[in-house]
Amino acid sequence: MIKEIINSKYPISKNSLNEIESLVELVDYGKGETFIKKNRRNLKEYFLLEGVCKSYLINPEGEEITISFFNEKSILSPYTTRTQDEISVINFQALTNTKLATIDAKEFERLMIDNLEIRNFGNTVLRNELSQKVEKEIGLASLTAKERLLKFREQFPMLENLIPHTDIASYLGITNISLSRLRSDLAR
Amino acid sequence: MIKEIINSKYPISKNSLNEIESLVELVDYGKGETFIKKNRRNLKEYFLLEGVCKSYLINPEGEEITISFFNEKSILSPYTTRTQDEISVINFQALTNTKLATIDAKEFERLMIDNLEIRNFGNTVLRNELSQKVEKEIGLASLTAKERLLKFREQFPMLENLIPHTDIASYLGITNISLSRLRSDLAR
DNA sequence: CACTTCCATTAACAAATGATAAAATCGTAT
DNA sequence: ATACGATTTTATCATTTGTTAATGGAAGTG
């Protein structure tokens, strides 16, 4: 399962794969559980085996802002990009019941240093993280809300019927009322 | 000069600094020059010593979308985050005459592998890149255009009188006409 | 079953932003 | 100084999005 996820990003040899798999631990989280908390210590990398997650922040008005969604069989944002001095700078929540594989981030860093394949894999994940952000940024800056919704549907086909629309609305940068309007608009 | 820039992000020892400085080459680019071109080979890391730059992309409508601005004495987006298979995925342009220090990206990667301080420095730059994107994303998703303009002014105090407003407007996700309205609004 | 709570939808109005066109301003070259 | 071209501002109208409030439905609870 992890093999499948890794190979979908950057294929690596059987050996390298074994190095990673020897470090893996499995964890389950229930629907609604926030398993990476902002301002709390966290030292893990995550593979999302089953279920759906989001990352989010609280804005100055106290509202939850969805930053990203994560589909089944994907990799959550790399440790380096969401952690400062071993303290998380963002929240991750299970939107459904989930199964995750975790690796100690320091041990994975060591693997990246020692093993070129794993390093390339890690850097690919990193770059993908960035380019997704750039793409979302471009969307927010230059698409209408309707276009952003259509793009969201392509990227996360099942989510609209699975999770609260409030989460989707804040991801799209609109109110949930606007989202509802767009939905009925697109339905006819 | 490079010392100053590095230490402002993540202070490192004299030794590590020398390792970096031994690899540096200086380059100048004139106002308007696009010195990293999308779909072109690029293998460098960049320190911006003097002048101002932007990164940008062309959207499907053929319009330039400004992704980020870079102030004097800062570090441009790390190689890994803007490059795939040694080919750039984004453009960088000098908005004024600029002086840059460059390092071969592969050699810098080697330094990161061999030297813990430099690795920490590199990862800090990477994380900063990400968190700036997240912050901008939140801004686009949950602030009004007027609030985004005010934030832009805090972050880039001189830019509004220095570069074409079209560049700023696309960065803020509005038309240049809206930008003009907001300017006159805020002026009274 | 009645009741609550949470979400999603709808309506009506206000505010913000976009599109188009026309005027004003600025910098630069002649 | 003048003229040109590019940029910025202003004006007008259309569209999109936000705000507030009311309504309806689904799921869970006593």
Side-chain angles (χ1 to χ4, degrees):
Chain A
M1 186 80 160
I2 292 174
K3 175 183 176 182
E4 199 183 318
I5 297 176
I6 291 177
N7 283 337
S8 76
K9 311 290 174 188
Y10 185 92
I12 63 178
S13 69
K14 187 73 186 146
N15 266 352
S16 302
L17 191 65
N18 286 339
E19 291 201 66
I20 292 177
E21 283 181 338
S22 71
L23 300 176
V24 157
E25 291 179 21
L26 297 175
V27 205
D28 290 10
Y29 292 108
K31 178 175 172 174
E33 211 169 335
T34 294
F35 57 93
I36 304 180
K37 290 186 177 148
K38 182 170 169 172
N39 298 326
R40 295 282 180 80
R41 196 170 139 91
N42 179 292
L43 285 162
K44 294 193 182 306
E45 304 284 1
Y46 295 86
F47 296 85
L48 178 54
L49 307 180
E50 288 179 27
V52 180
C53 297
K54 71 167 186 183
S55 61
Y56 70 97
L57 286 168
I58 311 293
N59 76 2
E61 286 74 37
E63 303 151 342
E64 278 191 13
I65 307 287
T66 302
I67 302 299
S68 297
F69 292 110
F70 298 87
N71 273 324
E72 199 159 285
K73 298 183 188 171
S74 66
I75 298 174
L76 301 195
S77 312
Y79 170 84
T80 353
T81 67
R82 59 174 151 80
T83 316
Q84 183 142 40
D85 302 328
E86 305 190 353
I87 303 294
S88 179
V89 298
I90 188 168
N91 306 286
F92 282 74
Q93 182 184 35
L95 295 171
T96 64
N97 291 334
T98 56
K99 291 189 194 302
L100 294 137
T102 71
I103 300 181
D104 182 274
K106 303 292 184 188
E107 296 188 43
F108 185 77
E109 189 186 20
R110 198 173 326 279
L111 286 190
M112 273 187 69
I113 291 167
D114 294 343
N115 181 318
L116 175 61
E117 278 189 332
I118 297 183
R119 183 158 74 247
N120 285 337
F121 162 71
N123 283 335
T124 301
V125 172
L126 209 55
R127 187 175 43 249
N128 288 347
E129 177 80 7
L130 244 307
S131 47
Q132 275 178 35
K133 292 231 169 299
V134 169
E135 201 177 341
K136 189 178 169 202
E137 192 176 328
I138 293 174
L140 286 169
S142 73
L143 300 180
T144 65
K146 188 180 292 185
E147 293 168 321
R148 297 203 294 277
L149 172 57
L150 291 171
K151 212 169 161 186
F152 163 81
R153 285 177 172 179
E154 280 180 31
Q155 207 173 353
F156 305 101
M158 307 278 70
L159 247 46
E160 203 172 342
N161 305 313
L162 194 63
I163 66 175
H165 287 181
T166 312
D167 289 353
I168 298 173
S170 82
Y171 176 80
L172 295 175
I174 57 180
T175 60
N176 48 351
I177 288 124
S178 284
L179 174 55
S180 179
R181 267 196 294 242
L182 294 175
R183 279 164 51 77
S184 77
D185 219 53
L186 291 168
R188 64 178 70 102
Chain B
M1 187 78 161
I2 292 174
K3 176 183 175 182
E4 199 182 320
I5 296 176
I6 292 177
N7 283 336
S8 75
K9 310 290 173 191
Y10 184 92
I12 62 178
S13 68
K14 188 71 187 149
N15 266 353
S16 301
L17 191 66
N18 285 341
E19 292 200 64
I20 293 178
E21 283 182 337
S22 73
L23 301 176
V24 157
E25 290 179 22
L26 297 175
V27 204
D28 291 9
Y29 292 110
K31 178 176 173 173
E33 210 168 334
T34 293
F35 59 92
I36 304 179
K37 290 187 179 149
K38 183 170 169 171
N39 299 328
R40 296 283 181 79
R41 196 169 139 90
N42 177 295
L43 285 162
K44 293 191 183 305
E45 303 284 1
Y46 294 87
F47 297 86
L48 178 53
L49 308 180
E50 289 178 28
V52 180
C53 297
K54 73 168 185 182
S55 60
Y56 70 97
L57 287 168
I58 311 293
N59 74 3
E61 285 75 38
E63 302 151 341
E64 278 191 15
I65 307 287
T66 302
I67 301 300
S68 299
F69 292 111
F70 297 87
N71 273 324
E72 198 159 286
K73 297 184 188 171
S74 66
I75 298 173
L76 301 195
S77 312
Y79 170 83
T80 352
T81 68
R82 60 175 152 77
T83 315
Q84 185 144 37
D85 302 327
E86 306 190 351
I87 303 293
S88 180
V89 297
I90 188 168
N91 306 286
F92 282 73
Q93 181 184 36
L95 295 171
T96 64
N97 290 333
T98 57
K99 289 186 194 305
L100 295 137
T102 72
I103 300 181
D104 182 275
K106 303 292 183 188
E107 296 189 42
F108 185 77
E109 189 186 19
R110 199 174 323 279
L111 286 189
M112 273 187 70
I113 290 167
D114 294 342
N115 181 317
L116 176 60
E117 277 190 330
I118 295 180
R119 183 158 74 248
N120 286 336
F121 162 72
N123 283 335
T124 301
V125 172
L126 210 54
R127 188 174 43 248
N128 288 346
E129 179 80 7
L130 243 306
S131 48
Q132 275 177 36
K133 292 230 171 297
V134 169
E135 200 177 342
K136 190 181 169 199
E137 194 176 327
I138 294 175
L140 286 169
S142 74
L143 301 179
T144 64
K146 189 183 289 185
E147 293 169 320
R148 297 203 294 278
L149 172 56
L150 290 171
K151 210 168 161 188
F152 164 82
R153 285 177 174 180
E154 280 179 30
Q155 209 176 350
F156 305 101
M158 307 279 68
L159 246 47
E160 204 172 341
N161 305 312
L162 194 61
I163 65 174
H165 287 181
T166 312
D167 289 352
I168 298 173
S170 83
Y171 176 80
L172 296 175
I174 56 179
T175 61
N176 49 351
I177 287 122
S178 285
L179 174 55
S180 180
R181 268 198 292 245
L182 294 174
R183 280 164 51 76
S184 76
D185 219 52
L186 290 168
R188 62 180 71 105

